[in-house]
Structures are given as C-alpha cells and as structure tokens.
Coordinates of all heavy atoms in Angstrom, one line a residue:
G217 N 102.6 -80.5 23.9 CA 101.2 -80.5 24.3 C 101.0 -80.5 25.8 O 101.9 -80.6 26.6
V218 N 99.7 -80.4 26.3 CA 99.4 -80.2 27.7 C 99.9 -81.4 28.5 O 100.4 -81.3 29.6 CB 97.9 -80.0 27.8 CG1 97.5 -80.0 29.3 CG2 97.4 -78.7 27.2
D219 N 99.8 -82.6 27.9 CA 100.2 -83.8 28.7 C 101.6 -84.2 28.4 O 102.0 -85.3 28.8 CB 99.2 -85.0 28.3 CG 97.8 -84.7 28.7 OD1 97.6 -84.1 29.7 OD2 96.9 -85.2 28.0
F220 N 102.3 -83.4 27.7 CA 103.8 -83.7 27.3 C 103.9 -85.0 26.6 O 104.9 -85.8 26.9 CB 104.6 -83.6 28.6 CG 104.7 -82.2 29.2 CD1 103.7 -81.8 30.2 CD2 105.6 -81.3 28.8 CE1 103.8 -80.6 30.7 CE2 105.7 -80.1 29.3 CZ 104.8 -79.7 30.3
D221 N 102.9 -85.4 25.8 CA 103.0 -86.6 25.1 C 103.1 -86.5 23.6 O 102.9 -87.4 22.8 CB 101.8 -87.5 25.4 CG 100.5 -86.8 25.1 OD1 100.5 -85.6 24.6 OD2 99.4 -87.4 25.4
N222 N 103.4 -85.2 23.1 CA 103.5 -84.9 21.7 C 102.2 -85.3 20.9 O 102.3 -85.7 19.8 CB 104.7 -85.6 21.1 CG 106.0 -85.1 21.6 OD1 106.7 -85.8 22.4 ND2 106.4 -83.9 21.2
T223 N 101.1 -85.1 21.6 CA 99.8 -85.4 21.0 C 98.9 -84.3 21.1 O 98.6 -83.9 22.3 CB 99.2 -86.7 21.6 OG1 100.1 -87.8 21.4 CG2 97.9 -87.0 20.9
M224 N 98.4 -83.7 20.1 CA 97.6 -82.5 20.1 C 96.1 -83.0 20.0 O 95.7 -83.6 19.0 CB 97.9 -81.6 19.0 CG 99.4 -81.2 18.8 SD 100.0 -80.4 20.3 CE 99.2 -78.8 20.1
K225 N 95.4 -82.8 21.1 CA 94.0 -83.4 21.2 C 92.9 -82.4 21.0 O 93.0 -81.3 21.6 CB 93.9 -84.1 22.6 CG 95.0 -85.1 22.9 CD 94.9 -85.6 24.3 CE 96.1 -86.4 24.8 NZ 97.3 -85.6 24.8
L226 N 91.9 -82.8 20.2 CA 90.7 -81.9 20.1 C 90.0 -81.8 21.4 O 89.9 -82.8 22.2 CB 89.8 -82.5 19.1 CG 88.4 -81.8 18.9 CD1 88.6 -80.4 18.4 CD2 87.5 -82.6 17.9
G227 N 89.7 -80.6 21.8 CA 89.0 -80.4 23.1 C 90.0 -80.0 24.2 O 89.6 -79.6 25.3
Q228 N 91.3 -80.2 23.9 CA 92.3 -79.9 24.9 C 93.3 -78.9 24.4 O 93.4 -77.7 24.8 CB 93.0 -81.2 25.4 CG 94.1 -80.9 26.5 CD 94.5 -82.2 27.1 OE1 93.7 -82.9 27.8 NE2 95.7 -82.6 26.9
E229 N 94.1 -79.3 23.4 CA 95.0 -78.3 22.8 C 94.4 -77.4 21.7 O 94.9 -76.4 21.4 CB 96.2 -79.1 22.1 CG 97.3 -79.5 23.1 CD 97.0 -80.8 23.8 OE1 96.0 -81.4 23.4 OE2 97.8 -81.2 24.7
W230 N 93.3 -77.9 21.1 CA 92.7 -77.2 20.0 C 91.2 -77.5 20.0 O 90.7 -78.5 20.5 CB 93.3 -77.5 18.6 CG 93.4 -78.9 18.3 CD1 94.3 -79.8 18.8 CD2 92.6 -79.6 17.3 NE1 94.1 -81.1 18.2 CE2 93.1 -81.0 17.3 CE3 91.6 -79.3 16.4 CZ2 92.6 -81.9 16.4 CZ3 91.1 -80.2 15.6 CH2 91.5 -81.5 15.6
Q231 N 90.4 -76.6 19.3 CA 88.9 -76.6 19.4 C 88.2 -76.6 18.0 O 87.1 -77.0 18.0 CB 88.4 -75.4 20.2 CG 89.1 -75.1 21.5 CD 89.0 -76.3 22.5 OE1 87.9 -76.9 22.6 NE2 90.0 -76.6 23.3
D232 N 88.9 -76.1 17.0 CA 88.2 -75.9 15.7 C 88.0 -77.1 14.9 O 88.9 -77.8 14.5 CB 88.9 -74.9 14.9 CG 89.0 -73.5 15.5 OD1 88.2 -73.2 16.5 OD2 89.7 -72.6 15.0
A233 N 86.7 -77.5 14.7 CA 86.4 -78.6 13.8 C 85.0 -78.4 13.2 O 84.1 -77.9 13.8 CB 86.3 -79.9 14.7
D234 N 84.9 -78.7 11.9 CA 83.7 -78.6 11.1 C 83.3 -79.9 10.5 O 84.1 -80.5 9.7 CB 83.8 -77.5 10.1 CG 83.7 -76.1 10.7 OD1 83.0 -75.9 11.6 OD2 84.4 -75.2 10.1
G235 N 82.1 -80.4 10.7 CA 81.6 -81.6 10.1 C 80.7 -81.3 8.9 O 80.8 -80.3 8.2
L236 N 79.7 -82.2 8.7 CA 78.8 -82.1 7.6 C 77.4 -82.0 8.2 O 76.9 -82.9 8.8 CB 78.8 -83.3 6.7 CG 80.2 -83.6 6.1 CD1 80.1 -84.9 5.2 CD2 80.7 -82.4 5.3
P237 N 76.7 -80.9 8.1 CA 75.3 -80.7 8.6 C 74.3 -81.4 7.7 O 74.6 -81.7 6.6 CB 75.1 -79.2 8.6 CG 76.0 -78.7 7.5 CD 77.2 -79.6 7.5
W238 N 73.1 -81.6 8.3 CA 72.0 -82.1 7.6 C 71.4 -80.9 6.8 O 71.2 -79.9 7.4 CB 71.0 -82.8 8.5 CG 69.8 -83.3 7.8 CD1 68.5 -82.7 7.7 CD2 69.7 -84.5 7.1 NE1 67.7 -83.5 7.0 CE2 68.3 -84.6 6.6 CE3 70.6 -85.6 6.8 CZ2 67.9 -85.7 5.8 CZ3 70.1 -86.6 6.0 CH2 68.8 -86.7 5.6
P239 N 71.1 -81.0 5.5 CA 70.7 -79.9 4.8 C 69.2 -79.4 5.0 O 68.9 -78.3 4.7 CB 70.8 -80.3 3.3 CG 70.6 -81.8 3.4 CD 71.2 -82.2 4.7
G240 N 68.4 -80.3 5.6 CA 67.0 -79.9 5.8 C 66.7 -79.7 7.3 O 67.6 -79.4 8.1
V241 N 65.5 -79.9 7.6 CA 65.0 -79.7 9.0 C 65.3 -81.1 9.7 O 64.9 -82.1 9.3 CB 63.5 -79.4 9.2 CG1 63.1 -79.4 10.6 CG2 63.2 -78.1 8.4
P242 N 66.2 -81.1 10.8 CA 66.5 -82.3 11.4 C 65.4 -82.9 12.3 O 64.6 -82.1 12.8 CB 67.7 -81.9 12.3 CG 67.5 -80.5 12.6 CD 66.9 -79.9 11.4
N243 N 65.4 -84.2 12.4 CA 64.5 -84.9 13.3 C 65.2 -85.0 14.6 O 66.1 -85.7 14.8 CB 64.1 -86.3 12.7 CG 63.3 -87.1 13.7 OD1 62.5 -86.5 14.5 ND2 63.4 -88.4 13.6
V244 N 64.7 -84.2 15.6 CA 65.4 -84.1 16.9 C 65.0 -85.4 17.7 O 63.9 -85.8 17.7 CB 64.9 -82.8 17.6 CG1 65.6 -82.8 19.0 CG2 65.2 -81.6 16.8
G245 N 66.0 -85.9 18.3 CA 65.8 -87.2 19.0 C 65.1 -87.0 20.3 O 64.9 -85.9 20.8
P246 N 64.6 -88.1 20.9 CA 63.8 -88.0 22.1 C 64.7 -87.7 23.3 O 65.9 -87.9 23.3 CB 63.2 -89.4 22.2 CG 64.1 -90.3 21.5 CD 64.7 -89.5 20.4
T247 N 64.0 -87.3 24.4 CA 64.7 -87.0 25.7 C 64.2 -88.0 26.7 O 63.0 -88.1 27.0 CB 64.5 -85.6 26.1 OG1 64.9 -84.7 25.1 CG2 65.2 -85.3 27.4
L248 N 65.2 -88.6 27.4 CA 64.8 -89.5 28.5 C 64.9 -88.8 29.8 O 65.9 -88.1 30.1 CB 65.8 -90.7 28.5 CG 65.6 -91.8 29.6 CD1 64.2 -92.5 29.4 CD2 66.7 -92.8 29.5

C-alpha cells in the first residue's frame, strides 16, 4: 500500500464503493 502498512484504504489505494440510496425524492438538508 501507499503507506507501506499493508492496509488498503478507501480514498487512497481504491475508490469503488456502493451504498444504499433512498428510493424516493430525498429531503435535502439545510445549508449554513
């Protein structure tokens, strides 16, 4: 790995990840 620690990190050594989306129209949060 990049840090020579035998640890493959998301966002560093690899990028692909899929979660679970909301099936309808999302309620977008406020902006400060």
Side-chain angles (χ1 to χ4, degrees):
V218 174
D219 297 327
F220 294 90
D221 57 1
N222 294 105
T223 303
M224 310 300 288
K225 306 174 189 67
L226 177 62
Q228 183 165 294
E229 280 86 3
W230 53 286
Q231 312 296 324
D232 291 349
D234 283 327
L236 302 179
W238 181 259
V241 178
N243 176 25
V244 180
T247 300
L248 182 62

